[in-house]
Amino acid sequence: MSNVPRSIIFFHPDLGIGGAERLILDAALALKSKGHKITIFTSHCDPNHCFDEARNGTLDVRIRGNTIFPPTLFGRFKILFSILRQLHLLISITISGELARLKPDVFFIDQLAAGTLFLRWRWSEIRILFYCHFPDLLLVQDRSRWWKWIWRLPFDELEGWATKGADKIIVNSDFTKGVVEEIWPALVGKKHRAQSIGVIYPCVNTKETTTGKVEDKKLNGDLWNDKKMILSINRFERKKNIGLAIKAFHGLKSHDRQGVRLVLAGGYDPRVEENVSYYGELVKLTESLGLRSATTKNVVTALNVPDDIEVLFLLSVPAQLKAMLLSAACLLVYTPTNEHFGIVPLEAMLAGVPVLAADSGGPLETVLEGQTGWLRTAEDVGQWTEVMQRVLHSMSEEKLRTMGIAGKRWVKSEFSETKLADRLDEEITWMVDSPRRRVLENANLLLGLGIAVPFIAALYVIWSKVIDILRS
């Protein structure tokens, strides 16, 4: 492993609050701890909706490429405008000389691969690492109509081509690696280490934990008058399947819910239509089941909700409140299926909280069945209710404490920031010292023309509609 300090430039589309954003900041901090110079470019970072390190000067975060193209047009065409904003960012910092002044040694891109092609063309000597959280083409849910399928086709092809343009591809779990190799088989079987797909798990901050959770005090009761708490932390998105937690909680007998509160906390951005609509759906589900609920947005109002509230929605939870919730919870429920990785179970285990998660995707690699938590199928609500019942009323505090200690040890040994720093530094060194991956071939050139034509045509149609609206 090399000790040579490098200038590493990160590119991330929207530095808000989410697992991908947490990973990018942790990766930047990890590499900074190794002596590298870190700069992060993004097209959006709202100081009121981002992690502390993105706004408090801990990292050099620069917002560029946000003055021409909006994130969406009337809530649509997100992928198109995401690519245009990324290209705007890359072109603007190239033309202005800002990127050259940073004397880059490595480019670190995640989430949106399109920019790798521009970087390979303009900065041909600089190596590119692409961190794939999950292929975007598999995240698009609705392709039922033929025109939606046609619309997505060039972007799907572009994603595959651009991903191959990276000199090193890293994924967040063995689960994601298997998915990537299945949809892009050309990436499989590379003999040279630098050109094979690597797996580097995200980390959690093991230096600043919620203290006292395992070693002393009662397992519950610090926030709401000795009320036991079942906690869910997730963005308000349908794929997170938060309704499962509500249904499983409702499955408890009414007397078993006495003195218990289900807290649904997570990222909520009023700019995102899905966040707003899905939150509304969850509130309606809660009401339809006869559960009393309330919604708060800050620590003060959260701590002063009426005692009879059974389900509490906490929107855009700040770090301080999140730590308090993890410190007081007796169980963390993690409901997404086929989650690419999932950082929240690690945060819970680090705080000494047992985890109940879906038995698919990343949690299969992070939650140890019967030791640090439980893995259950998301198709059977009753199984989730049974675990809740066991934690609330059957297991002794000593047993829960033992699970908490095991979880903390497991996370510190396998998912620490030190381990992330070592693995990233090692992979970057291999990448820089190895021959470049070949990306442009005759078939790719023809594919490029196939992508460019509908791309430009779509942009022309959209822009024409905007002009018509402005004139009318």
Side-chain angles (χ1 to χ4, degrees):
M1 185 163 50
S2 173
N3 292 321
V4 178
R6 296 186 171 93
S7 175
I8 302 177
I9 313 299
F10 283 70
F11 299 101
H12 183 79
D14 185 338
L15 207 56
I17 295 177
E21 289 71 36
R22 185 66 262 170
L23 179 280
I24 286 304
L25 294 176
D26 287 337
L29 291 168
L31 290 170
K32 184 178 179 180
S33 73
K34 290 289 188 179
H36 301 298
K37 179 184 177 183
I38 305 299
T39 308
I40 301 177
F41 284 99
T42 181
S43 296
H44 181 81
C45 184
D46 182 353
N48 297 315
H49 186 73
C50 67
F51 290 107
D52 293 340
E53 298 91 339
R55 62 171 172 244
N56 63 12
T58 301
L59 293 167
D60 183 2
V61 176
R62 306 185 185 189
I63 303 173
R64 304 288 188 270
N66 62 339
T67 56
I68 297 179
F69 303 104
T72 63
L73 184 64
F74 307 119
R76 297 180 179 274
F77 311 112
K78 181 178 179 180
I79 181 62
L80 172 62
F81 283 101
S82 294
I83 293 173
L84 292 174
R85 283 162 70 88
Q86 185 183 64
L87 292 176
H88 178 206
L89 185 156
L90 294 174
I91 293 171
S92 64
I93 63 177
T94 297
I95 293 176
S96 68
E98 182 177 10
L99 187 53
R101 289 191 292 272
L102 292 171
K103 299 180 179 179
D105 296 304
V106 173
F107 294 132
F108 191 120
I109 302 183
D110 81 306
Q111 221 168 38
L112 194 61
T116 62
L117 300 177
F118 173 83
L119 292 173
R120 282 192 70 119
W121 168 69
R122 179 59 182 82
W123 302 87
S124 58
E125 300 302 317
I126 310 301
R127 300 304 171 89
I128 304 169
L129 185 150
F130 179 66
Y131 195 102
C132 178
H133 304 278
F134 203 72
D136 183 70
L137 66 90
L138 297 180
L139 296 176
V140 179
Q141 301 296 315
D142 184 11
R143 295 176 186 249
S144 57
R145 299 181 180 180
W146 65 268
W147 58 269
K148 288 188 176 182
W149 184 84
I150 292 177
W151 164 255
R152 278 294 313 192
L153 181 60
F155 299 109
D156 295 344
E157 295 296 334
L158 175 61
E159 181 184 12
W161 183 17
T163 299
K164 297 169 190 173
D167 296 284
K168 180 65 183 180
I169 300 169
I170 299 292
V171 295
N172 53 15
S173 65
D174 287 320
F175 170 73
T176 301
K177 180 180 179 181
V179 172
V180 170
E181 291 178 338
E182 182 178 353
I183 63 172
W184 295 315
L187 299 175
V188 180
K190 298 294 183 180
K191 295 181 179 180
H192 199 288
R193 171 176 173 174
Q195 295 185 350
S196 62
I197 299 176
V199 177
I200 298 182
Y201 291 129
C203 76
V204 289
N205 187 350
T206 58
K207 297 175 182 177
E208 297 179 9
T209 64
T210 52
T211 59
K213 170 66 187 178
V214 176
E215 294 80 1
D216 58 26
K217 77 180 182 179
K218 293 180 294 183
L219 292 176
N220 324 283
D222 288 338
L223 295 179
W224 294 293
N225 300 321
D226 291 329
K227 190 179 289 290
K228 292 183 178 182
M229 189 212 319
I230 297 174
L231 177 64
S232 166
I233 301 178
N234 264 308
R235 291 191 305 277
F236 286 91
E237 298 175 354
R238 291 179 181 85
K239 66 182 180 181
K240 300 301 183 180
N241 197 23
I242 301 172
L244 172 59
I246 299 173
K247 294 173 184 176
F249 182 70
H250 174 259
L252 294 168
K253 296 179 180 179
S254 58
H255 66 269
D256 288 332
R257 293 199 304 268
Q258 293 296 318
V260 182
R261 177 169 291 159
L262 173 63
V263 177
L264 305 174
Y268 177 89
D269 188 341
R271 299 177 306 141
V272 179
E273 189 277 333
E274 184 182 15
N275 287 177
V276 177
S277 61
Y278 187 52
Y279 158 69
E281 292 171 14
L282 293 173
V283 171
K284 290 180 180 179
L285 172 63
T286 303
E287 294 174 346
S288 70
L289 295 175
L291 299 171
R292 293 179 294 278
S293 68
T295 300
T296 65
K297 297 182 179 180
N298 57 59
V299 177
V300 176
T301 54
L303 296 180
N304 289 280
V305 295
D307 193 59
D308 65 345
I309 294 299
E310 297 174 282
V311 180
L312 178 62
F313 292 90
L314 296 177
L315 309 184
S316 299
V317 182
Q320 177 191 12
L321 180 54
K322 182 178 180 180
M324 294 170 65
L325 293 169
L326 288 171
S327 177
C330 65
L331 177 68
L332 185 283
V333 289
Y334 195 67
T335 52
T337 56
N338 291 325
E339 184 72 359
H340 324 145
F341 179 74
I343 200 71
V344 173
L346 297 185
E347 295 173 331
M349 289 185 285
L350 184 63
V353 182
V355 174
L356 169 58
D359 61 350
S360 62
L364 289 173
E365 302 170 48
T366 58
V367 179
L368 303 179
E369 172 65 33
Q371 300 178 53
T372 67
W374 302 268
L375 296 164
R376 296 292 183 268
T377 174
E379 304 301 319
D380 189 341
V381 177
Q383 291 187 19
W384 291 64
T385 300
E386 186 274 329
V387 173
M388 289 182 179
Q389 167 70 24
R390 190 190 312 177
V391 171
L392 291 170
H393 302 295
S394 299
M395 295 181 66
S396 66
E397 290 192 1
E398 182 60 31
K399 176 60 177 176
L400 290 172
R401 186 176 290 109
T402 299
M403 293 190 77
I405 293 173
K408 179 173 287 191
R409 288 174 178 170
W410 167 244
V411 172
K412 286 188 173 182
S413 67
E414 298 298 326
F415 306 98
S416 69
E417 54 276 85
T418 300
K419 197 143 192 169
L420 176 66
D422 290 342
R423 291 283 288 113
L424 281 174
D425 200 38
E426 183 180 3
E427 291 291 357
I428 287 174
T429 299
W430 273 95
M431 177 182 69
V432 171
D433 294 339
S434 303
R436 298 208 79 170
R437 179 196 297 271
R438 186 180 179 185
V439 62
L440 291 177
E441 301 175 353
N442 291 336
N444 295 133
L445 295 176
L446 293 175
L447 175 61
L449 292 175
I451 291 172
V453 171
F455 186 87
I456 295 173
L459 184 60
Y460 174 78
V461 171
I462 293 170
W463 194 250
S464 298
K465 290 184 177 180
V466 173
I467 297 299
D468 290 341
I469 292 173
L470 294 176
R471 287 174 176 174
S472 59

